[in-house]
């Protein structure tokens, strides 16, 4: 519960910063100068940023671009877990067209208000932002074709429950297509904690093998994890030094081990829940 409250507070403030014309950046990485957060910046191409209101782009706090990698077809229903300011929901809504629907789910009132305002500015009708938690998705069983999410599952203290809920609401044959932070290989616990604090993963990111195991346990098949951005120690130097960490000493234990990745999986066809 405590983690959830910290997350809600942090993203509520981030949403308000967009309203007041500031940057929404709220990860530790945003302590860096200028607008060069190595995690959240430059995720979308100009065709995508041009297609949504500026505030939706400013509010973008993802670590990948699930809409670029997910296969979305006209008429499909898409659900974005932790939709924030709504950028991925608005982009998905265009992809599935007027016969499809894009839902955004978020627990933070300020983010929902921002997302709904962005929907109004974008003038898209096939979008609905729902208030709720990704551990308890307020949609029926077998009702969604594609689940997307952008840097949210790492924030949950109960990832098994989130993956179980994703499986429940997906239709048979439905696709899980999510960007998230993952770690790869052995990392000493203290180094891991410091790096994840830098990335802003409050509840902790999963190792790639743990992610695969949890998805399989939830019932998914065709599981694949594709790194999209691997972080290096120099990007985290300012933050880690400020935390009193000897960056040069831990550098060899960090290289190649912290990344954003695109995670794909499928609910088996013919599998109802
Ligand atoms: C890192 S931001 C990402 C927002 C958006 N996906 C994007 O790419 O800009 C995380 C968002 O997830 C929401 N969130 C975090 N944990 C959640 C939970 N357990 N249930 C629902 N929403 C959650 C936060 O309120 C916030 O809007």
């Amino acid at each position: 519960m405590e983690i959830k409250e910290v997350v809600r507070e942090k993203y509520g403030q981030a949403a308000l910063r967009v309203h007041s014309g500031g940057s929404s950046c709220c990860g530790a990485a945003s302590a860096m100068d200028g607008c060069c957060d190595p995690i959240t910046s430059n995720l979308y191409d100009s065709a995508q940023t041009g297609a949504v209101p500026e505030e939706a782009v400013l509010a973008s706090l993802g670590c990948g671009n699930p809409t670029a990698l997910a296969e979305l077809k006209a008429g499909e229903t898409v659900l974005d877990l932790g939709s924030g300011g709504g950028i991925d929901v608005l982009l998905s809504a265009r992809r599935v067209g007027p016969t499809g629907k894009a839902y955004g789910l978020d627990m933070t009132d300020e983010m929902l208000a921002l997302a709904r305002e962005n929907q109004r500015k974008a003038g898209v009708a096939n979008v609905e932002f729902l208030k709720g938690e990704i551990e308890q998705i307020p949609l029926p069983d077998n009702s969604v074709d594609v689940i997307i999410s952008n840097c949210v599952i790492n924030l949950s203290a109960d990832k098994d429950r989130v993956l179980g809920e994703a499986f429940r609401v997906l239709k048979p044959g439905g696709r899980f297509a999510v960007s998230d932070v993952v770690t790869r290989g052995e990392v000493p616990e203290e180094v891991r904690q410091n790096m994840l604090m830098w990335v802003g993963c409050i509840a902790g990111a999963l190792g790639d093998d743990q992610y695969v195991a949890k998805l399989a346990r939830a019932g998914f098949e065709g599981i694949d994890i594709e790194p999209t951005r691997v972080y290096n120690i120099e990007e985290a130097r300012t933050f880690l030094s400020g935390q009193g960490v000897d960056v040069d000493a831990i550098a060899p234990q960090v290289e190649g081990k912290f990344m954003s990745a695109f995670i794909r999986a499928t609910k088996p066809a013919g599998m109802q829940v």
Side-chain angles (χ1 to χ4, degrees):
M1 210 50 221
E2 202 182 300
I3 287 178
K4 205 164 262 176
E5 286 317 310
V6 172
V7 170
R8 204 192 308 267
E9 169 84 19
K10 169 170 156 155
Y11 289 103
Q13 287 171 5
L16 294 176
R17 280 199 292 278
V18 173
H19 274 304
S20 63
S23 158
S24 64
C25 293
C26 58
S30 64
M32 297 182 65
D33 292 337
C35 191
C36 52
D37 181 325
I39 300 155
T40 60
S41 62
N42 302 321
L43 298 173
Y44 300 89
D45 64 28
S46 55
Q48 290 185 306
T49 55
V52 294
E54 193 191 354
E55 290 80 358
V57 180
L58 287 174
S60 162
L61 286 167
C63 55
N65 183 348
T67 62
L69 294 164
E71 195 196 331
L72 299 179
K73 299 179 198 132
E76 287 191 320
T77 300
V78 182
L79 167 65
D80 183 10
L81 300 180
S83 42
I87 186 166
D88 293 324
V89 179
L90 299 177
L91 290 170
S92 299
R94 292 192 193 279
R95 297 263 301 280
V96 297
T99 57
K101 174 130 191 187
Y103 288 102
L105 173 64
D106 207 287
M107 66 176 183
T108 305
D109 287 324
E110 295 86 342
M111 276 295 181
L112 285 165
L114 181 61
R116 289 177 181 139
E117 198 180 310
N118 286 333
Q119 177 188 359
R120 190 184 50 74
K121 285 181 187 149
V124 279
N126 59 335
V127 162
E128 193 174 338
F129 288 101
L130 306 171
K131 178 165 179 175
E133 298 183 355
I134 62 173
E135 295 83 1
Q136 207 173 347
I137 300 175
L139 285 175
D141 300 352
N142 309 305
S143 61
V144 170
D145 294 291
V146 184
I147 286 194
I148 60 167
S149 184
N150 200 346
C151 230
V152 180
I153 296 175
N154 70 74
L155 296 169
S156 174
D158 194 347
K159 296 173 176 65
D160 287 313
R161 191 148 170 210
V162 174
L163 301 181
E165 278 289 273
F167 190 83
R168 178 184 69 75
V169 301
L170 277 174
K171 294 177 187 173
R175 284 106 65 202
F176 179 88
V178 161
S179 293
D180 208 355
V181 173
V182 299
T183 63
R184 182 164 277 180
E186 290 291 310
V187 193
E189 194 47 35
E190 200 189 336
V191 174
R192 187 181 159 81
Q193 290 308 328
N194 278 312
M195 276 301 284
L196 291 182
M197 214 195 303
W198 170 65
V199 184
C201 299
I202 295 166
L206 293 174
D208 55 353
D209 48 353
Q210 288 175 303
Y211 223 127
V212 171
K214 283 181 186 294
L215 282 164
R217 217 176 304 134
F220 285 100
E221 61 181 21
I223 303 164
D224 180 58
I225 299 193
E226 178 191 339
T228 50
R229 208 174 259 197
V230 179
Y231 302 112
N232 70 58
I233 192 79
E234 288 314 317
E235 293 166 317
R237 182 176 284 279
T238 310
F239 171 76
L240 293 176
S241 302
Q243 299 292 114
V245 174
D246 183 346
V247 175
D248 295 316
I250 69 161
Q253 295 159 329
V254 166
E255 233 33 61
K257 293 184 173 169
F258 294 83
M259 62 198 73
S260 293
F262 184 62
I263 299 139
R264 294 180 175 85
T266 308
K267 178 168 171 175
M271 164 81 77
Q272 300 275 343
V273 286

